[in-house]
Amino acid sequence: MNMAKIIENKTILPEPTIRRLPWYLSYVRMLNNLHVEYVSSTQISKELNVQSSQIAKDLSFLNIRGKTRIGYEVSSLVSELEDFLGFNRHHDAVVIGTGSLGTALMQDHGLENYGLHIVAGFDVREEVIGTRIGGLPVYDINQLADWQKEHNVSIAILTVPVERAQETASLAISSGMTALWNFTPYRIKAPGDVIIANTSIYAHLAIIYNRMHGHEQ
Amino acid sequence: MNMAKIIENKTILPEPTIRRLPWYLSYVRMLNNLHVEYVSSTQISKELNVQSSQIAKDLSFLNIRGKTRIGYEVSSLVSELEDFLGFNRHHDAVVIGTGSLGTALMQDHGLENYGLHIVAGFDVREEVIGTRIGGLPVYDINQLADWQKEHNVSIAILTVPVERAQETASLAISSGMTALWNFTPYRIKAPGDVIIANTSIYAHLAIIYNRMHGHEQ
């Protein structure tokens, strides 16, 4: 798969827009469940505290336009957003590092509602290699490159200890994985055509703590 | 607890700075384990791909200064960052919504290394109320207000279904909780003195998908 070519052919949205789209989706899904037919950007704006001009701009990336004085058709907006965000597609992924967080992700099938199907776990610890977690096999990390030749999975979820983050990322990349979902607080270095999404939950915790206590000099 | 007063007395850092500090921490912890004594901002810059002037600025918030031609003392930097980020303090929290993600967080004790101690779960489902998850009790959400009067926990972790996000947040706030860690993709409305940190893992998934596929018109 040639990422550069795909990037040339497709519209790559700015991250802030992509971050807002799931907010819109969760809101219009709720309206859809309540059988609401139309919603205006003003209404979405009030509910989500995003400027309505911003909403109109974000939604202009989709194949849907609001109608004057009526707004957006809710059910179309739901399916357009789901399609656009890729949540309706099937994506396979592996978990590398089956510690507490990795195990939790393998046991949690909620991500399947968002198109993410974890198919296997990899680890270095003898006591977990060969076992199953959430019904999924756990393999030796040394088997990753060979396993990947047969399975050609694009997404690696990194839930290793922070000191193993870079070497594990490099191994996943050299094995042919093209997208890394990094749950470690380490900033991974990778070639430009590798997709990296950082979900550092510790950073969010630090934000809460700092807002709670501030900094005591 | 009066948040406004605390805000007046303390330095509240900009979010981008707080997001970078855990990167620095994870890197200098690693150096510390390797018994490295000093590190320069240039070295951190190369490793983490952040400009060294930005690093110096971020670290100026801490009670530590780099020495000319030597840099920062690694072990001091580790403990200053840990103190500053609040990871060395004890914070109690409750999980509201013990579905797959909530259960995973209750079973995962990794957050305790970052100062977060989950003490109980709350749910609406009869089949889980009264059980234990990860050794922790699960109570009826209707008991939250009474429970909170005795326990006075500051942090509520919201892992409810998205359509319950706002009502659950409002209940936690009216019960006296002052910080919400929101794992739902819903944008919660709350009074200005309530701390909200959003960890929408679906947004990160959408970023990966969009970078993988772009938008096919």
Side-chain angles (χ1 to χ4, degrees):
Chain A
M1 191 163 77
N2 184 332
M3 292 309 302
K5 194 170 163 223
I6 288 180
I7 289 168
E8 278 166 22
N9 290 345
K10 306 289 162 52
T11 309
I12 302 297
L13 296 200
E15 266 199 41
T17 295
I18 301 178
R19 285 180 192 279
R20 283 186 296 266
L21 294 179
W23 297 346
Y24 306 151
L25 176 59
S26 67
Y27 177 57
V28 295
R29 266 183 182 165
M30 200 158 55
L31 294 179
N32 202 34
N33 291 341
L34 297 168
H35 307 291
V36 174
E37 281 187 62
Y38 289 93
V39 64
S40 65
S41 54
T42 315
Q43 201 178 334
I44 302 176
S45 170
K46 274 184 194 153
E47 186 67 25
L48 301 181
N49 200 20
V50 177
Q51 290 204 336
S52 61
S53 58
Q54 183 66 65
I55 293 167
K57 199 177 160 194
D58 289 343
L59 293 181
S60 71
F61 289 107
L62 279 70
N63 292 318
I64 191 169
R65 292 285 176 281
K67 291 176 192 167
T68 318
R69 285 194 298 273
I70 299 178
Y72 298 94
E73 199 188 353
V74 170
S75 62
S76 305
L77 200 47
V78 169
S79 58
E80 279 288 334
L81 279 164
E82 284 179 344
D83 284 352
F84 191 87
L85 289 167
F87 294 159
N88 279 343
R89 300 191 199 193
H90 184 108
H91 301 85
D92 284 339
V94 297
V95 163
I96 309 185
T98 64
S100 49
L101 181 58
T103 295
L105 291 171
M106 289 174 76
Q107 284 172 340
D108 172 10
H109 296 282
L111 288 170
E112 292 179 4
N113 298 325
Y114 292 83
L116 193 79
H117 297 256
I118 297 169
V119 296
F122 289 86
D123 210 304
V124 294
R125 293 169 301 145
E126 300 242 331
E127 64 268 28
V128 292
I129 294 167
T131 67
R132 296 181 87 85
I133 296 175
L136 304 170
V138 180
Y139 300 115
D140 188 327
I141 186 74
N142 290 324
Q143 295 178 272
L144 182 69
D146 284 341
W147 182 92
Q148 170 68 358
K149 276 180 203 152
E150 280 179 43
H151 294 83
N152 198 26
V153 163
S154 300
I155 302 174
I157 302 172
L158 291 190
T159 46
V160 293
V162 60
E163 63 273 16
R164 308 296 291 266
Q166 183 62 56
E167 63 180 298
T168 309
S170 300
L171 175 64
I173 294 163
S174 67
S175 302
M177 289 164 178
T178 53
L180 304 181
W181 192 358
N182 175 29
F183 278 88
T184 81
Y186 194 78
R187 204 150 191 238
I188 285 164
K189 283 176 288 188
D193 58 353
V194 173
I195 299 156
I196 297 185
N198 295 301
T199 300
S200 178
I201 62 174
Y202 312 112
H204 296 172
L205 208 45
I207 288 168
I208 294 176
Y209 293 165
N210 183 255
R211 295 283 181 274
M212 287 175 81
H213 306 296
H215 175 46
E216 293 161 356
Q217 288 286 354
Chain B
M1 190 164 75
N2 185 333
M3 291 310 302
K5 192 166 166 228
I6 287 179
I7 287 168
E8 278 167 24
N9 290 346
K10 305 290 162 55
T11 309
I12 302 298
L13 296 200
E15 266 199 40
T17 294
I18 303 177
R19 284 179 194 281
R20 283 187 296 266
L21 293 179
W23 297 346
Y24 306 152
L25 177 59
S26 66
Y27 177 57
V28 294
R29 267 183 181 164
M30 201 158 54
L31 294 179
N32 202 33
N33 291 341
L34 297 169
H35 307 292
V36 174
E37 280 187 62
Y38 289 93
V39 63
S40 65
S41 54
T42 315
Q43 200 179 335
I44 302 176
S45 170
K46 274 185 195 155
E47 186 67 25
L48 301 180
N49 201 20
V50 177
Q51 291 203 336
S52 61
S53 58
Q54 183 67 65
I55 293 167
K57 199 176 161 193
D58 289 343
L59 294 182
S60 72
F61 288 108
L62 279 69
N63 291 320
I64 191 169
R65 294 282 177 280
K67 291 177 192 166
T68 317
R69 285 194 298 272
I70 299 178
Y72 298 94
E73 199 188 353
V74 170
S75 62
S76 306
L77 200 47
V78 169
S79 59
E80 278 290 332
L81 279 165
E82 283 178 345
D83 284 353
F84 192 87
L85 289 167
F87 294 158
N88 279 343
R89 299 191 200 194
H90 184 108
H91 301 85
D92 283 338
V94 297
V95 163
I96 310 185
T98 64
S100 49
L101 182 58
T103 294
L105 291 171
M106 290 173 75
Q107 286 172 339
D108 173 8
H109 297 282
L111 289 171
E112 292 178 5
N113 297 326
Y114 292 83
L116 193 78
H117 297 255
I118 297 170
V119 295
F122 289 87
D123 209 307
V124 295
R125 293 168 302 146
E126 301 241 332
E127 65 269 28
V128 292
I129 294 166
T131 66
R132 297 181 88 84
I133 296 175
L136 304 169
V138 180
Y139 300 113
D140 189 327
I141 185 74
N142 291 324
Q143 295 177 270
L144 182 70
D146 284 341
W147 183 91
Q148 171 66 0
K149 275 178 205 154
E150 278 178 45
H151 293 82
N152 197 27
V153 164
S154 300
I155 303 174
I157 301 173
L158 292 189
T159 45
V160 294
V162 60
E163 63 274 15
R164 307 296 292 268
Q166 184 61 56
E167 64 179 296
T168 308
S170 300
L171 175 64
I173 294 164
S174 69
S175 301
M177 288 162 181
T178 53
L180 304 180
W181 193 358
N182 175 30
F183 280 87
T184 81
Y186 193 79
R187 210 156 184 232
I188 285 164
K189 283 177 289 189
D193 58 352
V194 173
I195 299 157
I196 298 185
N198 295 300
T199 301
S200 179
I201 61 173
Y202 312 112
H204 294 173
L205 208 45
I207 288 167
I208 294 175
Y209 293 165
N210 183 255
R211 296 283 182 272
M212 286 175 80
H213 307 295
H215 176 44
E216 292 161 358
Q217 288 284 351

